[in-house]
Amino acid sequence: MERVPILKIGDILLVSIQVDMSDQTAVALQEDLAERIVATGCHGVIIDITALDIVDSFVGRMLSTIASISRVLDAETVVVGMRPAVAITLVELGLSLNGIRTALNVERGMELIAIDRADDRDEPDDDPVPEPTASP
Amino acid sequence: MALSADESGRLGELLASRSEQVTQRWTEIIAGQLRGRLSQAELVRQVQELHRALVDALSKGAVDLNAEDATELRAVLADFSRGQARQGFSATETATGVFALKEALLTALDNDQSVATLRDYVAFSALVDQMGLFTFETFVRTRESLIADQAEQLLELSTPVVKLWESVVAVPLVGTLDSARAQVVMERLLQTLVDTGSPYAIIDITGVPAVDTQVAQHILKTVVAARLMGADCIISGIRPQIAQTIVALGIEFGDIATKASLADALRHVLRLTGVETSRRQPRREA
């Protein structure tokens, strides 16, 4: 069975899905990822789906599940690199990836997680973040 | 009704022997209805080419326009009607160009009034009818391909995606948004987002004359697709009447940011990205 590799970059775990996902691969990925999050204490997970031509309801649910698992373990999940054709198909099918954050590429995804972590550190009491004001 | 081999041979001979007379009359008839929109030399060349192809086909024993021996004749006819279609002649004018051959042949037959000749003439006129229909079909096909080409060019022209600022792209939509155009706009915008890595896109609908539920649906789909990819869309350029229509139709834009003008949208995005915008006093000339 193929396994999806999980790479650690700083405080972030990077998962790049390059193979067609089957039930077994998906379950294995969820287990591996949960273990790695606990073992490394990372606070961010980036799932790169640039190589995926097809995202169906199965992959969508897998992504949602991974995001939920990560959230329980205090890690933020960002899905990056969705292709335009994939996005259009998802919209046409009426599938929405609820509870999943997205970014255009890995770099933007890392920025997003970094900003979130910074916010969390600054505002431990969940104060509303003051909007940066522009001069009129 | 197909020609018999005999008839086709006889007609080939007749057309070849009366070549001068037939082409001259033929040219006259066509020239009469074209009223000088085609030069005489060009017309004579076309008629002679058609005549030559027809004589060739008949002398080879073609009994039908679909026959093997008439391949060249079909090619010449197709060429003729394509030319007419591209130069903006009407379908009637093109078809009459071929049907004029009947009359031209009749003048060549004037002195001979036997029953056999009449039979030949009827058979021949069936062939000319076939030729006319073939011309008409080619004409329509050419026109259709012209229209398809133009529609495609219009699509290419009308959907530019421009970079407004660092990490901000904009799509100024101009003209009515139908499904085909919406699809092109959507694909191009999303592809540009990937290529430039811009997390913000502004869809400006100043140039869209009317927004109905369908257009709104297309725009919403684009915004949702962009969100799935991790980019934010702002809709700008909503004119007062359009705002009223949107409310009257009960279209919900939800949490999608909408702005009255492109400038507002850009300012909104710049604020989100943390770029400071400030108004500076115009410097006075000393």
Side-chain angles (χ1 to χ4, degrees):
Chain A
M1 187 191 71
E2 288 179 291
R3 282 186 110 82
V4 179
I6 301 170
L7 316 173
K8 180 174 180 296
I9 305 174
D11 195 25
I12 291 169
L13 291 177
L14 176 64
V15 182
S16 183
I17 300 178
Q18 313 260 355
V19 296
D20 286 336
M21 297 303 289
S22 66
D23 278 315
Q24 287 180 323
T25 327
V27 171
L29 175 60
Q30 286 167 14
E31 285 171 3
D32 289 355
L33 195 59
E35 268 172 38
R36 286 297 298 270
I37 292 174
V38 173
T40 58
C42 284
H43 291 292
V45 175
I46 292 181
I47 304 174
D48 175 34
I49 57 168
T50 314
L52 284 191
D53 281 327
I54 299 163
V55 173
D56 50 12
S57 51
F58 169 70
V59 176
R61 203 184 63 228
M62 181 198 78
L63 293 175
S64 292
T65 315
I66 289 179
S68 305
I69 294 173
S70 309
R71 201 169 302 125
V72 172
L73 297 170
D74 190 26
E76 191 71 42
T77 308
V78 181
V79 172
V80 304
M82 187 185 292
R83 294 189 182 189
V86 171
I88 292 173
T89 316
L90 283 178
V91 173
E92 296 291 343
L93 289 176
L95 293 175
S96 58
L97 304 178
N98 280 328
I100 298 179
R101 310 187 60 180
T102 51
L104 284 173
N105 48 42
V106 176
E107 210 176 344
R108 297 269 178 202
M110 290 170 82
E111 278 172 24
L112 202 61
I113 290 176
I115 292 170
D116 278 357
R117 297 306 300 170
D119 285 352
D120 281 358
R121 271 197 294 277
D122 291 347
E123 321 283 338
D125 304 327
D126 280 342
D127 282 347
V129 183
E131 281 282 320
T133 46
S135 16
Chain B
M1 186 173 117
L3 294 159
S4 67
D6 270 4
E7 283 167 343
S8 89
R10 274 206 299 283
L11 277 165
E13 261 170 47
L14 179 70
L15 281 173
S17 61
R18 303 283 180 89
S19 153
E20 192 80 2
Q21 202 179 349
V22 169
T23 51
Q24 200 186 344
R25 180 78 190 114
W26 196 357
T27 316
E28 270 169 26
I29 298 171
I30 300 179
Q33 61 154 349
L34 292 185
R35 291 186 302 274
R37 271 179 293 164
L38 200 61
S39 73
Q40 187 70 21
E42 178 73 1
L43 187 59
V44 168
R45 193 189 58 74
Q46 279 182 0
V47 166
Q48 276 172 353
E49 204 173 329
L50 276 174
H51 180 263
R52 189 184 47 73
L54 182 60
V55 170
D56 270 3
L58 288 173
S59 62
K60 278 183 201 158
V63 292
D64 197 78
L65 188 60
N66 299 320
E68 188 81 0
D69 302 320
T71 316
E72 205 199 326
L73 176 60
R74 283 203 300 274
V76 173
L77 275 174
D79 216 34
F80 168 72
S81 51
R82 260 202 295 275
Q84 297 258 316
R86 285 193 194 287
Q87 286 164 30
F89 291 105
S90 76
T92 314
E93 284 162 348
T94 310
T96 317
V98 175
F99 290 137
L101 177 57
K102 286 192 205 175
E103 202 183 324
L105 186 73
L106 194 62
T107 48
L109 289 175
D110 248 348
N111 310 323
D112 189 353
Q113 289 184 344
S114 67
V115 175
T117 319
L118 187 64
R119 197 166 287 146
D120 280 0
Y121 183 73
V122 170
F124 178 69
S125 110
L127 178 69
V128 176
D129 287 348
Q130 268 189 345
M131 284 166 61
L133 287 176
F134 179 80
T135 319
F136 187 73
E137 257 172 44
T138 319
F139 180 89
V140 171
R141 219 174 298 133
T142 311
R143 275 295 173 89
E144 272 168 6
S145 74
L146 270 181
I147 292 170
D149 284 355
Q150 283 168 352
E152 202 170 305
Q153 281 170 4
L154 204 63
L155 276 184
E156 293 283 316
L157 276 179
S158 58
T159 49
V161 180
V162 291
K163 182 176 173 180
L164 268 193
W165 203 269
E166 210 56 57
S167 72
V168 186
V169 294
V171 203
L173 292 180
V174 178
T176 317
L177 207 61
D178 57 7
S179 294
R181 267 198 72 198
Q183 189 74 21
V184 173
V185 171
M186 196 184 203
E187 277 167 17
R188 196 161 302 172
L189 173 61
L190 298 184
Q191 192 56 52
T192 313
L193 289 176
V194 173
D195 293 346
T196 60
S198 314
Y200 294 101
I202 300 173
I203 301 177
D204 187 77
I205 58 168
T206 314
V208 180
V211 174
D212 54 10
T213 41
Q214 204 191 357
V215 172
Q217 185 69 23
H218 288 316
I219 295 175
L220 285 177
K221 271 187 191 168
T222 313
V223 175
V224 175
R227 271 203 189 160
L228 277 176
M229 290 171 54
D232 248 337
C233 281
I234 292 113
I235 300 168
S236 78
I238 301 173
R239 279 175 283 128
Q241 302 96 313
I242 289 194
Q244 289 181 23
T245 324
I246 288 174
V247 173
L249 287 173
I251 298 165
E252 285 285 340
F253 279 120
D255 54 346
I256 299 163
T258 52
K259 300 282 167 193
S261 69
L262 185 59
D264 286 342
L266 183 59
R267 193 174 297 135
H268 173 76
V269 173
L270 291 181
R271 197 177 300 154
L272 287 178
T273 50
V275 177
E276 290 283 328
T277 51
S278 67
R279 216 166 272 172
R280 205 183 287 167
Q281 289 289 324
R283 211 183 292 162
R284 286 203 192 129
E285 294 296 321

Coordinates of all heavy atoms in Angstrom, one line a residue, chain A residues 49 79-92 95-98 100-105 108 111 131-136, chain B residues 167 183 186-187 190-191 193-194 196-200 220-222 224-231 267 271-272 274-279:
Chain A
I49 N -2.5 19.9 -2.5 CA -3.2 19.0 -3.4 C -3.0 19.5 -4.9 O -3.8 19.3 -5.8 CB -4.7 19.0 -3.1 CG1 -5.3 20.4 -3.1 CG2 -4.9 18.3 -1.8 CD1 -6.8 20.3 -3.1
V79 N -5.4 23.9 3.4 CA -5.3 23.1 2.1 C -4.8 24.1 1.0 O -5.3 25.2 0.9 CB -6.6 22.5 1.7 CG1 -6.6 21.9 0.3 CG2 -7.1 21.5 2.7
V80 N -3.7 23.7 0.4 CA -3.1 24.6 -0.6 C -3.0 24.0 -2.0 O -3.0 22.8 -2.1 CB -1.7 25.1 -0.2 CG1 -1.7 25.7 1.2 CG2 -0.7 23.9 -0.3
G81 N -2.9 24.9 -3.0 CA -2.7 24.4 -4.4 C -3.8 23.8 -5.1 O -3.6 23.0 -6.0
M82 N -5.0 24.1 -4.7 CA -6.2 23.5 -5.5 C -6.2 24.1 -6.9 O -6.0 25.3 -7.1 CB -7.5 23.8 -4.8 CG -8.6 23.1 -5.4 SD -10.2 23.6 -4.7 CE -10.1 22.8 -3.1
R83 N -6.3 23.2 -7.9 CA -6.3 23.7 -9.3 C -7.6 24.4 -9.6 O -8.7 24.0 -9.1 CB -6.2 22.5 -10.2 CG -4.8 21.8 -10.1 CD -4.7 20.8 -11.2 NE -3.5 20.1 -11.1 CZ -3.1 19.3 -12.1 NH1 -3.8 19.1 -13.1 NH2 -1.9 18.7 -11.9
P84 N -7.6 25.3 -10.6 CA -8.9 26.0 -11.0 C -9.9 25.0 -11.4 O -11.1 25.1 -11.0 CB -8.4 26.8 -12.1 CG -7.0 27.1 -11.9 CD -6.4 25.9 -11.2
A85 N -9.5 24.0 -12.2 CA -10.5 23.1 -12.7 C -11.2 22.3 -11.5 O -12.4 22.1 -11.5 CB -9.9 22.1 -13.7
V86 N -10.4 22.0 -10.5 CA -10.9 21.3 -9.4 C -11.9 22.1 -8.6 O -13.0 21.7 -8.3 CB -9.7 20.8 -8.4 CG1 -10.3 20.3 -7.1 CG2 -8.9 19.8 -9.1
A87 N -11.5 23.4 -8.4 CA -12.4 24.4 -7.7 C -13.7 24.5 -8.4 O -14.8 24.5 -7.8 CB -11.7 25.7 -7.6
I88 N -13.6 24.7 -9.8 CA -14.9 24.8 -10.6 C -15.8 23.6 -10.4 O -17.0 23.7 -10.2 CB -14.5 25.1 -12.1 CG1 -13.8 26.4 -12.2 CG2 -15.8 25.0 -12.9 CD1 -13.3 26.7 -13.6
T89 N -15.1 22.4 -10.5 CA -15.9 21.2 -10.4 C -16.6 21.1 -9.0 O -17.8 20.8 -8.9 CB -15.0 20.0 -10.6 OG1 -14.2 20.2 -11.7 CG2 -15.9 18.7 -10.8
L90 N -15.9 21.4 -8.0 CA -16.4 21.4 -6.6 C -17.6 22.3 -6.5 O -18.7 22.0 -5.9 CB -15.4 21.8 -5.6 CG -14.3 20.7 -5.2 CD1 -13.3 21.3 -4.2 CD2 -15.0 19.5 -4.7
V91 N -17.5 23.5 -7.1 CA -18.6 24.5 -7.0 C -19.8 24.0 -7.8 O -20.9 24.0 -7.4 CB -18.1 25.9 -7.6 CG1 -19.3 26.8 -7.7 CG2 -17.1 26.5 -6.7
E92 N -19.5 23.4 -9.0 CA -20.6 22.9 -9.8 C -21.3 21.8 -9.1 O -22.5 21.6 -9.3 CB -20.1 22.4 -11.2 CG -19.5 23.5 -12.1 CD -20.5 24.5 -12.6 OE1 -21.7 24.1 -12.6 OE2 -20.2 25.6 -13.1
L95 N -20.3 21.0 -3.7 CA -19.6 20.6 -2.5 C -18.8 21.8 -2.0 O -18.1 22.5 -2.7 CB -18.6 19.5 -2.9 CG -19.1 18.2 -3.4 CD1 -18.0 17.3 -3.8 CD2 -19.9 17.5 -2.2
S96 N -18.9 22.0 -0.7 CA -18.0 23.0 -0.1 C -17.2 22.3 1.0 O -17.6 21.4 1.7 CB -18.9 24.1 0.5 OG -19.8 23.5 1.5
L97 N -15.9 22.7 1.1 CA -15.1 22.2 2.1 C -15.2 22.9 3.4 O -14.5 23.8 3.7 CB -13.6 22.2 1.6 CG -13.4 21.6 0.2 CD1 -11.9 21.7 -0.2 CD2 -13.7 20.1 0.3
N98 N -16.3 22.6 4.1 CA -16.6 23.3 5.3 C -15.5 23.2 6.4 O -14.9 22.1 6.6 CB -17.9 22.9 5.9 CG -19.1 23.5 5.2 OD1 -18.9 24.6 4.7 ND2 -20.2 22.8 5.1
I100 N -12.5 24.1 6.4 CA -11.1 24.0 5.9 C -10.7 25.3 5.4 O -11.4 26.0 4.6 CB -11.1 22.9 4.8 CG1 -11.5 21.6 5.3 CG2 -9.6 22.9 4.2 CD1 -11.5 20.5 4.2
R101 N -9.5 25.7 5.8 CA -8.9 27.0 5.3 C -8.1 26.6 4.0 O -7.5 25.6 3.9 CB -8.1 27.6 6.3 CG -8.8 27.7 7.7 CD -8.1 28.5 8.6 NE -7.9 29.9 8.1 CZ -7.2 30.8 8.8 NH1 -6.7 30.5 10.0 NH2 -7.0 32.0 8.3
T102 N -8.1 27.6 3.1 CA -7.4 27.3 1.9 C -6.4 28.5 1.6 O -6.6 29.6 2.0 CB -8.3 27.2 0.7 OG1 -9.2 28.3 0.7 CG2 -9.1 25.9 0.7
A103 N -5.3 28.2 0.8 CA -4.4 29.2 0.4 C -4.0 28.8 -1.0 O -4.1 27.6 -1.4 CB -3.2 29.3 1.3
L104 N -3.4 29.8 -1.8 CA -3.1 29.5 -3.2 C -1.9 28.6 -3.3 O -1.9 27.7 -4.2 CB -2.8 30.9 -3.9 CG -4.0 31.7 -4.2 CD1 -3.5 33.0 -4.8 CD2 -4.9 31.0 -5.2
N105 N -0.9 28.8 -2.5 CA 0.3 27.9 -2.6 C 0.9 27.7 -1.2 O 0.5 28.3 -0.2 CB 1.3 28.5 -3.5 CG 1.6 30.0 -3.3 OD1 1.7 30.4 -2.1 ND2 1.7 30.8 -4.3
R108 N 2.0 30.9 0.8 CA 0.9 31.6 1.4 C 0.3 30.8 2.5 O -0.1 31.4 3.5 CB -0.3 31.8 0.3 CG 0.2 32.7 -0.9 CD -0.1 34.1 -0.6 NE 0.3 34.9 -1.7 CZ 0.6 36.2 -1.7 NH1 0.5 36.8 -0.6 NH2 1.0 36.8 -2.7
E111 N 2.4 31.4 5.5 CA 2.2 32.8 6.0 C 0.9 32.8 6.9 O 0.9 33.4 8.0 CB 2.0 33.8 4.9 CG 3.2 34.3 4.3 CD 3.0 35.1 3.0 OE1 1.8 35.6 2.9 OE2 3.9 35.2 2.2
E131 N -8.9 46.2 14.0 CA -8.7 46.3 12.6 C -7.6 47.4 12.4 O -7.6 48.5 13.0 CB -10.0 46.9 11.9 CG -11.0 45.8 11.6 CD -10.7 45.0 10.4 OE1 -10.2 45.6 9.4 OE2 -10.8 43.8 10.5
P132 N -6.6 47.1 11.5 CA -5.7 48.1 11.2 C -6.4 49.3 10.5 O -7.1 49.0 9.5 CB -4.6 47.4 10.3 CG -5.3 46.2 9.8 CD -6.4 45.9 10.8
T133 N -6.2 50.5 11.0 CA -7.0 51.6 10.3 C -6.1 52.3 9.3 O -4.9 52.5 9.5 CB -7.4 52.6 11.4 OG1 -6.3 52.9 12.2 CG2 -8.5 52.1 12.2
A134 N -6.7 52.6 8.2 CA -6.0 53.4 7.2 C -6.3 54.9 7.3 O -7.5 55.2 7.7 CB -6.4 52.9 5.8
S135 N -5.4 55.7 7.1 CA -5.7 57.1 7.2 C -6.6 57.5 6.0 O -6.6 56.9 5.0 CB -4.4 58.0 7.0 OG -3.4 57.2 6.5
P136 N -7.5 58.4 6.3 CA -8.6 58.7 5.3 C -8.0 59.3 4.0 O -6.9 59.9 4.0 CB -9.5 59.8 6.0 CG -8.6 60.3 7.1 CD -7.6 59.2 7.5
Chain B
S167 N -0.1 41.5 -5.5 CA -1.1 40.5 -5.0 C -2.6 40.9 -5.1 O -3.4 40.4 -4.4 CB -0.8 40.1 -3.5 OG -1.1 41.2 -2.6
Q183 N -18.0 31.1 -18.0 CA -17.1 30.0 -17.8 C -15.6 30.5 -18.1 O -14.7 30.2 -17.4 CB -17.5 28.9 -18.8 CG -16.8 27.6 -18.6 CD -17.3 26.9 -17.3 OE1 -18.4 27.1 -16.9 NE2 -16.4 26.0 -16.8
M186 N -14.3 32.8 -15.5 CA -14.0 32.0 -14.3 C -12.7 31.3 -14.4 O -11.8 31.5 -13.5 CB -15.2 31.0 -14.1 CG -15.3 30.4 -12.7 SD -16.6 29.2 -12.9 CE -17.1 29.0 -11.2
E187 N -12.5 30.6 -15.5 CA -11.3 29.8 -15.7 C -10.1 30.7 -15.7 O -9.1 30.5 -15.1 CB -11.4 29.0 -17.0 CG -12.2 27.7 -16.8 CD -12.5 27.0 -18.1 OE1 -11.9 27.4 -19.1 OE2 -13.4 26.2 -18.1
L190 N -9.3 32.2 -12.2 CA -8.7 31.3 -11.3 C -7.3 30.9 -11.7 O -6.4 30.8 -10.9 CB -9.6 30.0 -11.2 CG -11.0 30.2 -10.7 CD1 -11.7 28.9 -10.6 CD2 -11.0 31.0 -9.4
Q191 N -7.1 30.8 -13.1 CA -5.7 30.4 -13.6 C -4.8 31.6 -13.2 O -3.6 31.3 -12.8 CB -5.8 30.2 -15.1 CG -4.5 29.6 -15.6 CD -4.2 28.3 -14.9 OE1 -5.0 27.4 -14.8 NE2 -2.9 28.1 -14.4
L193 N -5.0 33.6 -10.8 CA -4.7 33.6 -9.3 C -3.6 32.6 -9.0 O -2.7 32.9 -8.3 CB -6.0 33.2 -8.6 CG -7.1 34.2 -8.5 CD1 -8.3 33.6 -7.8 CD2 -6.7 35.5 -7.8
V194 N -3.6 31.5 -9.7 CA -2.6 30.5 -9.5 C -1.2 31.0 -10.0 O -0.2 30.9 -9.3 CB -2.9 29.1 -10.2 CG1 -1.8 28.2 -10.1 CG2 -4.2 28.5 -9.5
T196 N -0.1 34.0 -10.6 CA 0.5 35.2 -10.0 C 0.6 35.0 -8.5 O 1.2 35.8 -7.8 CB -0.3 36.5 -10.3 OG1 -1.7 36.3 -9.8 CG2 -0.4 36.8 -11.8
G197 N -0.1 34.0 -8.0 CA -0.1 33.9 -6.5 C -0.8 35.0 -5.8 O -0.4 35.3 -4.6
S198 N -1.8 35.6 -6.4 CA -2.5 36.8 -5.8 C -3.6 36.3 -4.9 O -4.5 35.6 -5.4 CB -3.0 37.7 -6.8 OG -2.1 38.0 -7.8
P199 N -3.7 36.6 -3.7 CA -4.8 36.2 -2.8 C -6.0 37.0 -2.9 O -7.0 36.8 -2.2 CB -4.2 36.2 -1.4 CG -3.1 37.2 -1.5 CD -2.6 37.3 -2.9
Y200 N -6.0 38.1 -3.7 CA -7.2 39.0 -3.8 C -7.5 39.2 -5.2 O -6.7 39.4 -6.1 CB -6.9 40.3 -3.1 CG -6.7 40.2 -1.6 CD1 -5.5 40.3 -1.1 CD2 -7.8 40.1 -0.8 CE1 -5.3 40.2 0.3 CE2 -7.7 39.9 0.6 CZ -6.4 40.0 1.1 OH -6.2 39.9 2.5
L220 N -21.3 34.5 -8.3 CA -21.2 33.8 -7.0 C -20.4 32.6 -7.1 O -19.5 32.3 -6.3 CB -22.6 33.5 -6.5 CG -23.4 34.7 -5.9 CD1 -24.8 34.2 -5.5 CD2 -22.7 35.3 -4.8
K221 N -20.6 31.8 -8.2 CA -19.8 30.6 -8.4 C -18.4 30.9 -8.5 O -17.5 30.2 -7.9 CB -20.3 29.9 -9.7 CG -21.4 28.9 -9.5 CD -21.7 28.2 -10.8 CE -23.0 27.4 -10.7 NZ -23.3 26.9 -12.1
T222 N -18.0 31.9 -9.2 CA -16.6 32.3 -9.4 C -16.0 32.6 -8.0 O -14.9 32.2 -7.7 CB -16.5 33.5 -10.3 OG1 -17.3 33.3 -11.5 CG2 -15.1 33.8 -10.7
V224 N -17.0 31.7 -5.1 CA -16.9 30.5 -4.2 C -15.7 29.6 -4.6 O -14.9 29.1 -3.8 CB -18.2 29.6 -4.2 CG1 -18.0 28.4 -3.5 CG2 -19.3 30.4 -3.7
A225 N -15.5 29.5 -6.0 CA -14.4 28.7 -6.5 C -13.1 29.3 -6.1 O -12.1 28.6 -5.6 CB -14.5 28.6 -8.0
A226 N -13.0 30.7 -6.2 CA -11.8 31.4 -5.7 C -11.5 31.1 -4.3 O -10.4 30.9 -3.8 CB -11.9 32.8 -6.1
R227 N -12.6 31.1 -3.5 CA -12.4 30.9 -2.0 C -11.9 29.5 -1.8 O -11.0 29.3 -0.9 CB -13.8 31.0 -1.4 CG -14.0 32.4 -1.0 CD -15.0 32.5 0.2 NE -15.3 33.9 0.3 CZ -16.3 34.4 0.9 NH1 -17.2 33.5 1.4 NH2 -16.5 35.7 1.0
L228 N -12.4 28.5 -2.5 CA -11.9 27.2 -2.3 C -10.4 27.1 -2.6 O -9.7 26.3 -2.0 CB -12.6 26.2 -3.3 CG -14.0 25.7 -2.9 CD1 -14.6 24.9 -4.0 CD2 -13.9 24.9 -1.6
M229 N -9.9 27.9 -3.5 CA -8.5 27.9 -3.8 C -7.7 28.8 -2.9 O -6.5 28.8 -2.9 CB -8.3 28.4 -5.2 CG -8.8 27.4 -6.3 SD -8.7 28.2 -7.9 CE -7.0 28.7 -7.9
G230 N -8.4 29.5 -2.0 CA -7.7 30.3 -1.0 C -7.5 31.7 -1.4 O -6.5 32.4 -1.0
A231 N -8.4 32.3 -2.2 CA -8.3 33.7 -2.6 C -9.6 34.4 -2.3 O -10.7 33.7 -2.3 CB -8.0 33.8 -4.1
R267 N -9.0 50.1 -2.3 CA -8.7 50.6 -1.0 C -9.0 49.6 0.1 O -8.2 49.4 1.0 CB -9.5 51.9 -0.7 CG -9.0 52.7 0.5 CD -9.7 54.0 0.6 NE -9.5 54.9 -0.5 CZ -10.4 55.6 -1.1 NH1 -11.7 55.5 -0.7 NH2 -10.2 56.4 -2.1
R271 N -6.2 47.9 2.5 CA -6.3 47.9 3.9 C -6.1 46.5 4.5 O -5.4 46.3 5.5 CB -7.6 48.5 4.3 CG -7.7 48.9 5.8 CD -9.0 49.6 6.0 NE -9.3 50.7 5.2 CZ -10.5 51.1 4.9 NH1 -11.6 50.4 5.3 NH2 -10.7 52.2 4.1
L272 N -6.7 45.5 3.8 CA -6.6 44.1 4.3 C -5.1 43.7 4.2 O -4.7 42.9 5.1 CB -7.5 43.2 3.4 CG -9.0 43.3 3.6 CD1 -9.7 42.3 2.7 CD2 -9.3 42.9 5.1
G274 N -2.6 45.5 4.5 CA -1.8 46.3 5.4 C -1.0 47.4 4.7 O -0.1 48.0 5.3
V275 N -1.4 47.8 3.5 CA -0.7 48.9 2.8 C -1.4 50.2 3.3 O -2.6 50.3 3.3 CB -0.8 48.7 1.3 CG1 -0.2 49.9 0.6 CG2 -0.2 47.5 0.8
E276 N -0.6 51.2 3.6 CA -1.1 52.4 4.1 C -1.5 53.3 2.9 O -0.6 53.5 2.0 CB -0.1 53.2 5.0 CG 0.1 52.5 6.3 CD -1.1 52.8 7.3 OE1 -1.7 53.9 7.2 OE2 -1.4 51.9 8.1
T277 N -2.7 53.8 2.8 CA -3.0 54.8 1.8 C -3.2 56.1 2.5 O -3.9 56.2 3.5 CB -4.3 54.4 1.0 OG1 -5.3 54.2 1.9 CG2 -4.0 53.2 0.2
S278 N -2.6 57.2 2.0 CA -2.9 58.5 2.6 C -3.0 59.5 1.5 O -2.5 59.3 0.4 CB -1.7 58.8 3.5 OG -0.5 59.0 2.7
R279 N -3.7 60.6 1.8 CA -3.8 61.6 0.8 C -2.8 62.7 1.1 O -2.6 63.1 2.2 CB -5.2 62.2 1.0 CG -5.8 62.6 -0.3 CD -7.3 62.9 -0.2 NE -8.1 61.7 -0.4 CZ -9.4 61.6 -0.2 NH1 -10.0 62.7 0.3 NH2 -10.0 60.5 -0.4

